[in-house]
Amino acid sequence: MSEEKDPHAPEALDAARAILNRMREAALSRGEARIDAAKAAKFEENAAARKAKRRASSAPAKYSDGRDPQEIGNLFGKIVRDRGWSAPVAVGSVLSRWSELVGPQIAAHCIPESFEDSTVVVRCDSTTWATQMRLLSHELLKHFDRELGPGVITVIRVLGPAAPSWRHGGRSVKGRGPRDTYG
């Protein structure tokens, strides 16, 4: 019968201890410090407490010299205010967001032509829509105040469809012209 070796025999313990000592020496040569189990558990508890504390504090650190990270929208708004670009940005906002501001049905028939000095000039594709826009202008001004801020748009000037030009060619009669065209 084969003889089984006792794992607790002195020569087996010496081999295990020798391997353990070699592993410890290799760790020390790499710069790793030996920490016992009690210190490791305490370190883990402290790390978890620090992590929970970071999660709990919702207010980020504030520096007094303006080094805080800020949202790009806030920075853009500050630049616009500081440089006096509020009016040009409002113009672009009204013209680019027209269908969002007035709705798709009105936007399909009424197109903004210009925006100067808080007055929007709107051209409608029919006289019916021009009349409708004039009737809705008071409600639209209230809506613009809510969406864009008070005073951005104060007047809506509504124009009907452009009439066809009866002047054809280089030679045309100045003034009212002949009135016998329609009988």
Side-chain angles (χ1 to χ4, degrees), residues 129-141:
W129 273 102
T131 303
Q132 187 68 20
M133 272 300 285
R134 286 185 189 101
L135 292 173
L136 289 173
S137 64
H138 185 68
E139 292 299 319
L140 286 174
L141 287 173

Side-chain angles (χ1 to χ4, degrees), residues 57-178:
S57 82
S58 60
K62 296 286 182 186
Y63 298 103
S64 60
D65 59 357
R67 297 185 300 148
D68 283 340
Q70 297 178 7
E71 294 177 358
I72 191 76
N74 294 342
L75 288 175
F76 183 70
K78 185 176 184 294
I79 290 171
V80 166
R81 280 190 309 274
D82 291 348
R83 300 198 181 198
W85 295 343
S86 297
V89 170
V91 170
S93 177
V94 169
L95 297 179
S96 66
R97 294 177 52 200
W98 179 254
S99 62
E100 176 189 336
L101 292 170
V102 297
Q105 189 175 12
I106 294 174
H109 298 283
C110 303
I111 301 168
E113 283 191 346
S114 66
F115 179 43
E116 293 179 12
D117 300 328
S118 73
T119 300
V120 176
V121 178
V122 178
R123 171 105 30 209
C124 298
D125 62 0
S126 69
T127 54
T128 306
W129 273 102
T131 303
Q132 187 68 20
M133 272 300 285
R134 286 185 189 101
L135 292 173
L136 289 173
S137 64
H138 185 68
E139 292 299 319
L140 286 174
L141 287 173
K142 286 182 184 177
H143 181 70
F144 292 152
D145 282 346
R146 282 191 306 269
E147 291 291 321
L148 304 171
V152 173
I153 298 177
T154 56
V155 177
I156 300 175
R157 191 167 151 232
V158 181
L159 303 175
S165 173
W166 296 105
R167 296 182 183 229
H168 299 288
R171 296 182 183 174
S172 62
V173 177
K174 294 190 185 220
R176 294 185 51 163

Side-chain angles (χ1 to χ4, degrees), residues 33-47 50:
R34 183 175 173 201
I35 301 174
D36 64 351
K39 285 184 182 178
K42 188 172 183 179
F43 178 78
E44 290 297 322
E45 287 175 12
N46 289 342
R50 283 192 307 269

